[in-house]
């Protein structure tokens, strides 16, 4: 294992943010190992989008880790008995998946240690989704401390850096950044409730944020929406 390893584990969900993160990590010269989660989300379109994004932007390997969080439910994204919100509400949204980023980052940390990778990239953002506790800067700082304490790599003096290049960017800024890097956002899927064919609903919170982001950025929105 080289001390200046350029290997990086990149979490890729199939959404707009993580596609941008993969492009940023690639541009920084990392050898990217893409990691997606089949976590019991309501629809498969997200994983199909993740595969397309990885193929488009390139990675050394792409793993889809099966981890059935739907066994517990507790989120509108993993439990079909909880309705998806159509309006933005105060507080922590029902689309929050209990401890999801902690679970995902822990799997990423395990893979990074096995690979000898010193970087983990995750597309968390504190601007648009301020309701999610595991997207906050203080959460990432705490996770970083824990990761150093928790790993052989860390104890032996090598940091596994948790990189969050989108943390303080608006959706429009993320879209501009990715467009500059050549990301084809037409391959990505942000919708919480897409059709069987993988078309975005255009009405959920995530669709609304994405649409506003394209509108503010001045970049044409390539998203395929269902027609109502
Ligand atoms: Zn939607």
């Amino acid at each position: 294992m080289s001390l200046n390893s350029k290997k990086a584990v990149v979490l890729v969900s199939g959404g707009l943010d993580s596609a941008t993160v993969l492009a940023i990590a690639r541009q920084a010269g990392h050898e990217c190992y893409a990691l997606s989660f089949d976590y019991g989300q309501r629809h498969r379109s997200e994983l199909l989008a993740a595969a397309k994004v990885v193929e488009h932007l390139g990675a050394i390997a792409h793993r889809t880790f099966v981890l059935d969080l739907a066994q517990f439910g507790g989120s509108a994204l993993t439990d079909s008995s909880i309705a998806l919100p159509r309006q933005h509400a105060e507080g922590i949204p029902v689309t929050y998946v209990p401890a999801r980023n902690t679970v995902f980052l822990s799997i990423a940390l395990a893979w990074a240690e096995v690979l000898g990778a010193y970087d983990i990239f995750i597309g968390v953002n504190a601007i648009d989704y301020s309701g999610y506790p595991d997207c906050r800067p203080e959460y990432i700082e705490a996770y970083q401390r824990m990761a150093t304490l928790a790993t052989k790599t860390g104890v032996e003096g090598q940091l596994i850096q948790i990189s969050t290049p989108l943390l303080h960017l608006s959706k429009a800024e993320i879209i501009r950044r990715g467009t500059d890097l050549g990301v084809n956002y037409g391959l990505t899927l942000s919708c919480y409730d897409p059709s069987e064919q993988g078309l975005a609903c255009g009405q959920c919170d995530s669709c609304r944020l994405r649409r506003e982001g394209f509108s503010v950025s001045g970049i044409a929105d390539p998203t395929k929406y269902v027609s109502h």
Side-chain angles (χ1 to χ4, degrees), residues 8-13 15-28 30 32 53 57-58 120-125 163-167 169 174 177-178 181 183 185 188:
V9 173
V10 183
L11 279 77
V12 178
S13 69
L16 180 156
D17 293 344
S18 66
T20 310
V21 168
L22 178 57
I24 289 170
R26 293 274 291 154
Q27 198 217 17
H30 287 287
C32 295
V53 163
L57 295 170
I120 294 172
F121 282 81
I122 180 167
V124 292
N125 180 271
S163 291
T164 57
L166 311 184
L167 194 58
L169 299 185
I174 293 167
R177 186 77 206 280
L181 293 172
V183 176
Y185 287 119
T188 66

Side-chain angles (χ1 to χ4, degrees), residues 109-215:
L109 187 61
W111 198 22
E113 212 179 8
V114 172
L115 289 166
Y118 299 147
D119 292 273
I120 294 172
F121 282 81
I122 180 167
V124 292
N125 180 271
I127 307 294
D128 289 324
Y129 286 109
S130 51
Y132 291 145
D134 54 359
C135 290
R136 293 178 297 169
E138 53 268 51
Y139 163 75
I140 296 295
E141 284 163 26
Y143 195 94
Q144 179 70 71
R145 286 201 300 282
M146 191 280 293
T148 305
L149 287 169
T151 53
K152 176 173 179 284
T153 307
V155 168
E156 290 176 353
Q158 178 64 51
L159 193 71
I160 298 177
Q161 178 83 42
I162 313 294
S163 291
T164 57
L166 311 184
L167 194 58
H168 300 292
L169 299 185
S170 70
K171 195 61 96 189
E173 287 169 331
I174 293 167
I175 290 166
R176 285 198 200 102
R177 186 77 206 280
T179 301
D180 286 346
L181 293 172
V183 176
N184 174 4
Y185 287 119
L187 300 176
T188 66
L189 179 75
S190 304
C191 182
Y192 290 146
D193 194 16
S195 72
E196 287 292 318
Q197 294 76 31
L199 302 176
C201 77
Q203 297 181 331
C204 72
D205 237 23
S206 187
C207 278
R208 195 177 48 74
L209 272 169
R210 177 179 167 118
R211 207 172 223 167
E212 281 171 15
F214 275 105
S215 170

